[in-house]
Every structure is written in structure tokens, then in C-alpha cells.
Amino acid sequence: MRSRLTATIMALALLSCTTTPQPTLYTKHVVFPEGATLNEKVDMISRLVPSEGQLRWQQLELSAFIHFGMNTFTGSEWGSGKDSPELFNPTELDCEQWVRTLKEGGFKLVILTAKHHDGFCLWPTATTDYSVKQSPWREGKGDVVRELRDACLKYDMKFGVYLSPWDRNAKSYGDSPAYNKLYIAQLTELLTHYGHIDEVWFDGACGEGENGRKQEYEWSAILRCVEEHQPNAVTAIMGDDIRWVGNEGGVGRETEWSATMIAPGSYVDKVAENRRLGLEEMSKDLGSRELLEEAKEAYWYPSEVDVSIRPGWFYHSEEDGKVRSIENLVEIYYRSVGSNSVLLLNIPPDKRGLIHEIDAARIKEFGTYIKQTFAKSYIANLNKTWRATAGESREFKIKKGATVNTLLLQEDIAEGQRVESFMVECFEGGEWRELCTGTTIGYKRLLRFDDCHAERLRITITQTRATANIKSVGLYYAEPIAK
Ligand code: FUL
């Protein structure tokens, strides 16, 4: 009996030794050991994965910005902070109309400029006399943050706040400790009075305080404040979960790495390292092997493409004729969501406090177009993740008689971002021809090509940081957009 028991224990021990150990995954950040070779670094960065919050955020794909505030009433983009609160008086403010409109467009999250650079607060803050409380709107008893929050709850929309670090009204701005205290107090109000917050947007724009004083922000304390009060919220731009794509034109990179060597700007002790590597948000290359060779660390720091539906971020009636066309919005969609980014599209309400009819109609049209385009794939999706090594190909049968012009590829980013390049061919008239090629895939990659009537499609993963985890493949037909 005893010997049988010993044998069983030994067999179990042996089994546990022979089962392949799960490779270590690095959440959000990885430090390479000193002297690590390029191959070792490539292997480690391939196992860098997003935090749960970053993964949830990436899956939203479409998020909306609402720039609304004093500038809406003064016609400016960057208010001086000296305009009277008396000017803030929307006549028909209806946050439910905003949220319904955004829902129709397919947007999943909305971020409100609770305070822009002029310092005017859209909630009745106790921290300053420059807020809705001092305005005639709802006799000083209104709260835009709360109204939008409630509308989001009603329509199941995620909710975020933009709190401009730059403040042209605050007397203390430029007196660093005093202003940091005020800023954190404002942030705390937003994070503790309105229930769950999904995203906090920290703008990087920053001017001088009185007499040229330079404000030094205490980013570590600011981010700690979010961590303490809203641990599930993601932080953007000067935050460390979401990276600014580097332009405000709606143009993502051709090669977009979420597992990148650029450190968030709020990590002040990493500023010099970014400089050493020649990295800034605008850099073209944020993840090549050449860069990796030089790097000491890497971050999961995915890109967000922020762009306005109008030339300005705030509403100006003279721009009513300049709302982006549906064609342009769809182009932006391919260059953002289709390029491993989340789109943050700004739709600024007008002086009434409503999303203007022109913008509302455009948003609806955009949502309908995207939904229709991706409603039906002409190839069967993978029934399980395709684990592809470099050079591996897979063929897909295209539905008979189909015309296609759009390909969708997705990696399972919960296991990291790995693909460095791929090639797509189609079998037509008895031979294979190249349809398109690409570099990174990441969460989602969309590629467009001329109408094609092929019978089969072949995808080859030409280079990858490690075995790629291709989660989905789709082939669609995008209708031409009427001009
Ligand atoms: C910039 C700001 O200066 C603009 O006014 C706008 O808010 C944009 C989203 O970010 O940095």
C-alpha cells in the first residue's frame, strides 16, 4: 500500500515537472536585464500585455469627446480665464440628446471637458468661484458633469472626464505646490462625487502662469489620486494607460505598436531615457527591433487618435459648413480603429447645449455605414486562435460570387502584440497574386484594396516577435461612399 502511494506521489511530481510551464507575462511594463541580447528582449516584449483596464478600453474602439464650456459662448478655442461666468448660459442643454446621438454613431464612451484651459468648471466645485455655480444657467444650481453622468447611466454609455492641468484663471497657477493642491482637490471632487468614472484625460498643453512662472505638475500624486478613488479608470495622455497618437488630424501610424519603448510623459524620471532613444509622441518609430536593441524597458502604452468633427474643438456657428464629410470620417476610422488605435472623436455641442443637427446627422450616417460594412464577412472566421510562427500561411475560402475589398485582422492582445509584418494574396483566374501587405496588426488592423472576386485568400505572417495569436480574420465589402 505504502509503496503504491509513493509511486503515485512520484508520478504526480513527474507530471507536474513535465507539463510545460506557462510563460511569464509582463503587465504594462517590462525591464530588460542588463546585457540582454536583442533576441531576449524580443522574447520579453512579446510577452508584454495590457492591464485589464487597458484591454477593456481598447475593445471600446469608438469614444467621443465633448468640448463644451465658456469657449462655446465666447467663440474662442483657448479662453483667457477672464470671461464672466454670466456668459455661460445654454438655453436647451440636454445631455441625453448628446448620448443618444453618440449611441447612434456606435460610440461607447464619452469624455467631457469638465474644465478646459480657461479654468471654468462645469460642475459646482468648492475649489474656485469660476464655475457653473456663478452662472445664470439653471440659476446657478446646474451641474453639467452630473447631467451627463446621469444620461450615460440611463443609456449605458461609459463616462470620462477631461480636467485641463493648464488653468488660466487660477491665481495659484505657476506656484507649483499651491496649484497642484488645487488641481488634486478638483480631481478628487470629480472622482468622488459622480460614481464610476471610466477614463481621465490629462491634457499635455501647458502655458505659463503669471509673470512667466512655470507650473511643475506633480504627476505621481495626480495619478495616485486616480488610483485611489477610481482604480478601474484608465488615464490618458499625461496619464500612463493611453498614449496620444501624436497629431490631432485623425491619422494613426502605418506601424503602430502598443508594446512600445516610449515611456509615458508623466514618468518624469524617464524623460531623459525617452530623449536618449529619440522618442516623443510624434516619432514615426516606437517599436522597431533597432529601437529595441537600444532600449532598457518597454511599456504597454496604446495609441488614441483624437480629432474633432469640426475645425475647432469648440462649437463655432461659422464652422457649420465645415463638419467633416462621411467619407472623411470613414477614412479616419480606418486610420484609427483600423490601425490599432482607439478613436476619440470630438463632437462639440452648440450654444443651446445641443449637438447641432448637422453633426448629429453625420454621426448617425457614420455609425450606419460602419455597422453595415462589417455586418457580413465573406470568409468563415477562425474557430480557434491561429498560432502562427514566422513564415506560416493559412488559406481561407471566399464565399462564391462575393465581391470583397476590405480585410480585418486581429491579434489576441491579451497575449501581447507580436506581428511585425504580413502579406495577403488572393487566388484568382488560376493563380495567386499579392493583394496587400502590412506591418503591425495589434488589436485591429483593417486593409482596403480594389474590388476583388477571388475564390481564396492566403495570409502569411512574414515576421513576428514570437508565435502570433491571430484571433480573428474577416473579409468584407465596403460600399463606395456617394460624394
Ligand atoms: C489640446 C487642447 O489645447 C485643445 O484645446 C483640445 O482640448 C485638445 C483635445 O487638446 O491640447
Side-chain angles (χ1 to χ4, degrees):
M1 179 67 195
R2 190 146 166 232
S3 68
R4 208 190 299 157
L5 194 65
T6 318
T8 313
I9 292 171
M10 278 174 67
L12 280 175
L14 201 66
L15 197 69
S16 71
C17 291
T18 50
T19 45
T20 6
Q22 286 302 308
T24 313
L25 297 177
Y26 306 100
T27 304
K28 219 174 149 181
H29 181 211
V30 61
V31 180
F32 305 125
E34 251 199 66
T37 63
L38 176 61
N39 281 346
E40 284 162 352
K41 289 182 187 179
V42 170
D43 169 56
M44 287 178 86
I45 200 173
S46 77
R47 291 184 279 121
L48 181 57
V49 297
S51 67
E52 278 175 32
Q54 287 175 316
L55 184 59
R56 261 199 313 273
W57 168 83
Q58 188 86 51
Q59 288 162 345
L60 300 175
E61 302 191 1
L62 292 176
S63 59
F65 233 160
I66 293 275
H67 275 65
F68 185 66
M70 187 57 81
N71 293 338
T72 313
F73 298 87
T74 59
S76 53
E77 279 290 310
W78 281 6
S80 63
K82 295 191 170 65
D83 297 301
S84 163
E86 290 289 322
L87 297 172
F88 182 87
N89 199 8
T91 47
E92 298 172 49
L93 186 125
D94 181 0
C95 293
E96 292 197 10
Q97 185 255 1
W98 305 356
V99 177
R100 278 196 307 269
T101 305
L102 298 175
K103 276 235 125 173
E104 284 187 328
F107 292 85
K108 304 278 170 36
L109 174 141
V110 55
I111 300 174
L112 172 70
T113 51
K115 177 183 87 166
H116 201 251
H117 309 330
D118 51 48
F120 186 76
C121 297
L122 294 185
W123 79 103
T125 174
T127 61
T128 164
D129 287 339
Y130 201 49
S131 83
V132 282
K133 208 153 91 183
Q134 283 73 36
S135 82
W137 176 64
R138 306 230 197 285
E139 292 165 346
K141 296 195 173 56
D143 182 343
V144 188
V145 177
R146 183 159 311 279
E147 291 194 24
L148 182 55
R149 160 83 274 174
D150 291 348
C152 286
L153 284 175
K154 178 163 172 185
Y155 292 102
D156 187 27
M157 174 75 86
K158 294 195 183 298
F159 178 61
V161 287
Y162 165 119
L163 183 69
S164 170
W166 185 21
D167 188 323
R168 303 177 92 181
N169 176 269
K171 284 274 161 298
S172 58
Y173 190 81
D175 171 354
S176 297
Y179 179 74
N180 281 327
K181 205 166 154 217
L182 171 84
Y183 187 76
I184 289 179
Q186 293 183 336
L187 185 61
T188 307
E189 286 184 355
L190 289 173
L191 300 179
T192 56
H193 296 178
Y194 298 94
H196 183 71
I197 306 273
D198 296 285
E199 182 169 339
V200 188
W201 219 87
F202 296 112
D203 200 317
C206 156
E208 286 177 347
E210 257 174 31
N211 309 319
R213 287 182 308 186
K214 184 163 169 19
Q215 174 68 34
E216 304 286 350
Y217 301 106
E218 215 189 323
W219 285 115
S220 53
I222 295 169
L223 297 186
R224 249 196 334 269
C225 177
V226 181
E227 181 60 39
E228 181 186 344
H229 300 299
Q230 295 283 344
N232 293 320
V234 282
T235 59
I237 317 307
M238 292 310 287
D240 66 356
D241 292 307
I242 300 164
R243 167 171 53 87
W244 179 47
V245 72
N247 66 76
E248 292 179 344
V251 195
R253 282 178 187 74
E254 182 60 30
T255 300
E256 186 58 82
W257 286 106
S258 299
T260 165
M261 277 59 100
I262 189 171
S266 52
Y267 293 1
V268 279
D269 56 331
K270 300 291 177 213
V271 171
E273 180 62 1
N274 277 346
R275 208 169 301 133
R276 181 184 76 84
L277 295 169
L279 292 178
E280 50 182 24
E281 283 99 335
M282 277 80 96
S283 303
K284 193 167 169 228
D285 173 15
L286 296 177
S288 68
R289 287 186 181 228
E290 290 72 39
L291 209 54
L292 195 52
E293 190 126 38
E294 298 298 316
K296 295 179 184 157
E297 300 173 57
Y299 305 85
W300 188 273
Y301 197 34
S303 140
E304 179 182 75
V305 171
D306 64 324
V307 58
S308 185
I309 195 167
R310 289 166 170 256
W313 288 100
F314 286 86
Y315 176 85
H316 311 294
S317 58
E318 60 277 21
E319 292 177 354
D320 284 352
K322 294 186 179 156
V323 176
R324 286 182 186 274
S325 66
I326 176 75
E327 195 185 12
N328 186 245
L329 288 176
V330 169
E331 179 67 25
I332 288 175
Y333 178 83
Y334 280 95
R335 299 294 301 266
S336 54
V337 177
S339 301
N340 190 32
S341 296
V342 167
L343 172 60
L344 177 58
L345 181 67
N346 178 61
I347 302 116
D350 59 19
K351 286 188 185 183
R352 293 172 300 173
L354 296 175
I355 291 183
H356 192 277
E357 290 73 2
I358 299 175
D359 308 48
R362 204 57 50 81
I363 288 298
K364 187 172 174 185
E365 209 184 332
F366 165 75
T368 308
Y369 181 86
I370 297 298
K371 212 165 146 195
Q372 274 171 6
T373 302
F374 296 99
K376 181 173 168 206
S377 172
Y378 290 95
I379 51 174
N381 198 356
L382 302 162
N383 47 20
K384 69 177 196 329
T385 302
W386 169 27
R387 303 202 185 274
T389 51
E392 212 177 302
S393 300
R394 191 169 274 205
E395 272 184 45
F396 299 84
K397 205 165 157 266
I398 304 176
K399 284 209 179 92
K400 228 185 159 91
T403 307
V404 293
N405 58 14
T406 305
L407 174 71
L408 172 148
L409 294 171
Q410 289 192 286
E411 280 183 77
D412 182 2
I413 58 165
E415 298 196 60
Q417 183 185 0
R418 299 181 171 184
V419 176
E420 293 172 283
S421 63
F422 61 91
M423 177 181 60
V424 184
E425 298 157 290
C426 66
F427 190 77
E428 206 174 15
E431 58 182 2
W432 287 102
R433 75 172 164 90
E434 189 179 294
L435 204 51
C436 53
T437 57
T439 54
T440 43
I441 296 178
Y443 169 74
K444 188 176 271 190
R445 182 71 188 245
L446 297 171
L447 294 112
R448 290 173 291 177
F449 40 84
D450 291 341
D451 288 3
C452 156
H453 305 97
E455 301 148 40
R456 273 178 289 152
L457 185 81
R458 183 162 67 193
I459 300 170
T460 307
I461 302 301
T462 41
Q463 198 179 351
T464 179
R465 284 176 173 177
T467 301
N469 300 300
I470 308 297
K471 193 178 167 181
S472 75
V473 179
L475 200 55
Y476 305 90
Y477 178 65
E479 295 274 355
I481 299 170
K483 298 219 172 133

